Amino acid sequence: METKDFAKEVKQHLTEKLIPFWSGLKDEENGGFCGYMGYDLQRDPTYEKGCILNSRILWFFSNAYLLLKEDTLLENAAHAYRFLRDHCLDKEQGGVYWSVTYDGKPNDDTKHTYNQAFAIYALSSYYDASKDQEALDIAFGLQDVIEEKCTDEYGYLEAFDRYFRPVSNEKLSENGVMAEKTMNTLLHVFEAYTELYRVTHHSFTAERLEFMLDLFSQKVYNPEKGRQEVFFDRTWNTLIDLYSYGHDIETSWLLDRGLEVLDNPFYTESVAPITAEIAENIYERAYRDHSVLNEAENGVDDTKRVWWIQAEAIVGFINAWQKESGADKETPPHLRSAAGCAAHAENAERLSGAEKYLTAAKDIWDYICSYFVDPREGSEWFENVNADHTPMELPIVQPWKCPYHNGRMCMEVIRRLG
C-alpha cells in the first residue's frame, strides 16, 4: 500500500465511519452525548455520562474541526463544551466530577487527577478551534486545581473525594495493586499540559512539563528493562512486574510531541533516545500477528487485542519511522517498495531500519479493518478481540470507550502522511 493511499483510507474512515457515528450520539434533550451503547447496538439514554467520555468527545470534535474545517464539527464540539461547563464542573468545590447522570446531575463526585487532565486537554483544543476565552479560563482553573490540590513533593497524586480529601485509587489501579501514583495519570497530565502550552506558551506550564519529563526519565522509565513501570507507591517505588505495551507505545509519541511543543534542546537530547528505545522494544516484544498485545504481568503475555492499543501503535510506529528516517509528510521513494511488498508479510520477516515501523503501522491498519471495525450499520469499533480474532461481546460505547484513541489515530495519520 502506498503511503498516500494509507492516509486516504484513514481519512475516509474518519469522515464516513467515526464522525457520523459519534455525531449520531448527540443528546439534544439533555445535553452531551449518549453514554452507553451495548454490543447489541442498543443505546441506554438514561445511562450515566462519564466526564472523561464527554471530555474526549469534546477533544475529538474540536480537532476534527481544526483538521477538516466543517462547521458541524465545531457545533458538536460546542455542544460537548456546554455540557462540560454546565454539568461536569463542580462549581462549589472546584474540579470535574467523575460522572454525572444522563440529565447532568452529579453521579460519582470523585475528583481524579486523570479526569481533570482530560478536561484541560479538551478545553485547550476547543479554545484553539473556537477562540472562546471562557474555555481557556476554565482550563487554567483546572490546572490550578491539579497543582494546588492533587500534588505532593514527589509528583501527581490520584484520587480524591468531592472535597479533595485523598481516597483509594480503584479507578486507575489494576492487577491486584492499589497505586498511589501511576504512569497512566502522569502521562495524561503531561499530554494535557502539552496541549495547554501549545495554545498559550504559558511559562508555568512549561516548567511543569519539564518536571514531568524528569519524572518519566528518572522514576518511571526502567533502563535495565527498556520499558516504563506502571504502578507506584507515593515515592515512585514500583509495585508490580507489569509491562503495559499499549501505554509504552502511546508514551513514545506523546513525549515526543511534548518535546516538539516545548522546544527545549536539553530535554530533547535527554528524552528522545528513551522514547526511541521504548518504541523499538514494543516493535520487537509486542508486535505479533499483525497487531500489538495488551500487556505482560510477571513475564506472561495477555494475548487479547485491545482497540485503543492498536490505534496508539499506529501513531507510535509512524512517529518512530519519522524520527529514524527523517521523513516529514511523504514516504521517501526508496522506502515505498519495501513497505509495499512487506505490508502483509508475517511479522517474523523483520525489516531493518526505519521502514519496519511504517510497514508495521500499515499492517496494523489492515488488522483493524479486518477485525476491529464493526461492519454492522450504526456501529464503530469492537473494544477487544480475542487471539483468534473474534470480537469480545463488550459495549460499543461506555465511559472508557470513546473516539479519542481511534479518532486521534486517524487525524495523526492524515497530518503526518498528508
Side-chain angles (χ1 to χ4, degrees), residues 19 38 82 97 151 162 165 189 207 223 242 268 312 316 356 389 417:
I19 289 174
R82 289 190 294 270
Y97 297 119
T151 61
R162 183 184 179 190
R165 295 174 298 209
V189 175
E207 292 172 8
L242 184 64
T268 298
E312 295 299 336
K356 68 182 181 184
H389 313 308
L417 302 184

Side-chain angles (χ1 to χ4, degrees), residues 237-301:
N237 296 300
T238 188
L239 300 177
I240 185 174
D241 179 5
L242 184 64
Y243 193 168
S244 180
Y245 298 134
H247 286 111
D248 265 30
I249 194 63
E250 183 182 24
T251 297
S252 72
W253 79 267
L254 282 178
L255 290 193
D256 280 347
R257 169 64 57 79
L259 293 172
E260 178 186 3
V261 171
L262 189 60
D263 193 22
N264 182 316
F266 171 81
Y267 282 99
T268 298
E269 183 176 344
S270 60
V271 176
I274 293 174
T275 60
E277 183 171 5
I278 288 174
E280 168 67 16
N281 287 340
I282 293 300
Y283 179 87
E284 293 295 339
R285 300 169 182 175
Y287 169 49
R288 302 178 200 166
D289 193 21
H290 315 287
S291 52
V292 171
L293 305 180
N294 179 29
E295 64 185 20
E297 183 176 350
N298 296 319
V300 179
D301 283 324

Side-chain angles (χ1 to χ4, degrees), residues 82-94:
R82 289 190 294 270
F83 191 78
L84 186 156
R85 179 195 64 191
D86 297 341
H87 300 289
C88 299
L89 291 173
D90 184 344
K91 296 177 177 59
E92 296 178 4
Q93 302 301 323

Side-chain angles (χ1 to χ4, degrees), residues 26 73 87 138 153 159 165 181 214 218 242 266-267 279 282 314 343 346 356 380 391 407-409:
K26 185 190 292 187
L73 299 173
H87 300 289
I138 295 171
E153 63 268 39
R165 295 174 298 209
K181 289 185 170 69
D214 288 335
Q218 299 170 18
L242 184 64
F266 171 81
Y267 282 99
I282 293 300
I314 287 178
E346 288 298 324
K356 68 182 181 184
E380 194 225 35
R408 184 169 68 179
M409 177 274 292

Side-chain angles (χ1 to χ4, degrees), residues 51 84-98 100 106 109-111 116 142 145 161-164:
C51 297
L84 186 156
R85 179 195 64 191
D86 297 341
H87 300 289
C88 299
L89 291 173
D90 184 344
K91 296 177 177 59
E92 296 178 4
Q93 302 301 323
V96 176
Y97 297 119
W98 188 261
V100 297
D109 62 9
T110 300
K111 305 290 177 58
Q116 316 311 307
L142 292 174
V145 165
D161 67 10
R162 183 184 179 190
Y163 303 96
F164 289 96

Side-chain angles (χ1 to χ4, degrees), residues 2-8 10-11 14 59 63 67 121 190-191 194-195 198 249-261 275 279 311-332 335-336 357-358 361-362 405 407-418:
E2 293 279 352
T3 301
K4 63 182 179 180
D5 294 330
F6 178 26
K8 182 178 179 180
V10 169
K11 183 175 182 180
L14 174 67
W59 181 92
N63 279 271
L67 179 69
Y121 190 51
F190 182 85
E191 167 190 60
T194 296
E195 187 71 349
R198 184 184 69 81
I249 194 63
E250 183 182 24
T251 297
S252 72
W253 79 267
L254 282 178
L255 290 193
D256 280 347
R257 169 64 57 79
L259 293 172
E260 178 186 3
V261 171
T275 60
E312 295 299 336
I314 287 178
V315 184
F317 286 149
I318 289 176
N319 181 70
W321 166 68
Q322 290 177 311
K323 283 175 66 176
E324 190 166 326
S325 69
D328 185 10
K329 292 184 178 180
E330 186 65 47
T331 314
L335 295 183
R336 289 176 188 162
Y357 294 121
L358 181 61
K362 294 177 179 181
H405 292 286
R408 184 169 68 179
M409 177 274 292
C410 292
M411 288 182 266
E412 286 291 327
V413 169
I414 295 165
R415 289 180 179 129
R416 291 167 182 261
L417 302 184

Side-chain angles (χ1 to χ4, degrees), residues 299-368:
V300 179
D301 283 324
D302 174 4
T303 59
K304 71 172 174 285
R305 271 58 171 180
V306 181
W307 66 283
W308 69 266
I309 294 175
Q310 310 316 311
E312 295 299 336
I314 287 178
V315 184
F317 286 149
I318 289 176
N319 181 70
W321 166 68
Q322 290 177 311
K323 283 175 66 176
E324 190 166 326
S325 69
D328 185 10
K329 292 184 178 180
E330 186 65 47
T331 314
H334 70 281
L335 295 183
R336 289 176 188 162
S337 60
C341 70
H344 299 280
E346 288 298 324
N347 296 343
E349 297 178 5
R350 300 295 185 183
L351 298 172
S352 61
E355 65 265 33
K356 68 182 181 184
Y357 294 121
L358 181 61
T359 298
K362 294 177 179 181
D363 190 31
I364 295 168
W365 171 245
D366 286 345
Y367 185 93
I368 289 169

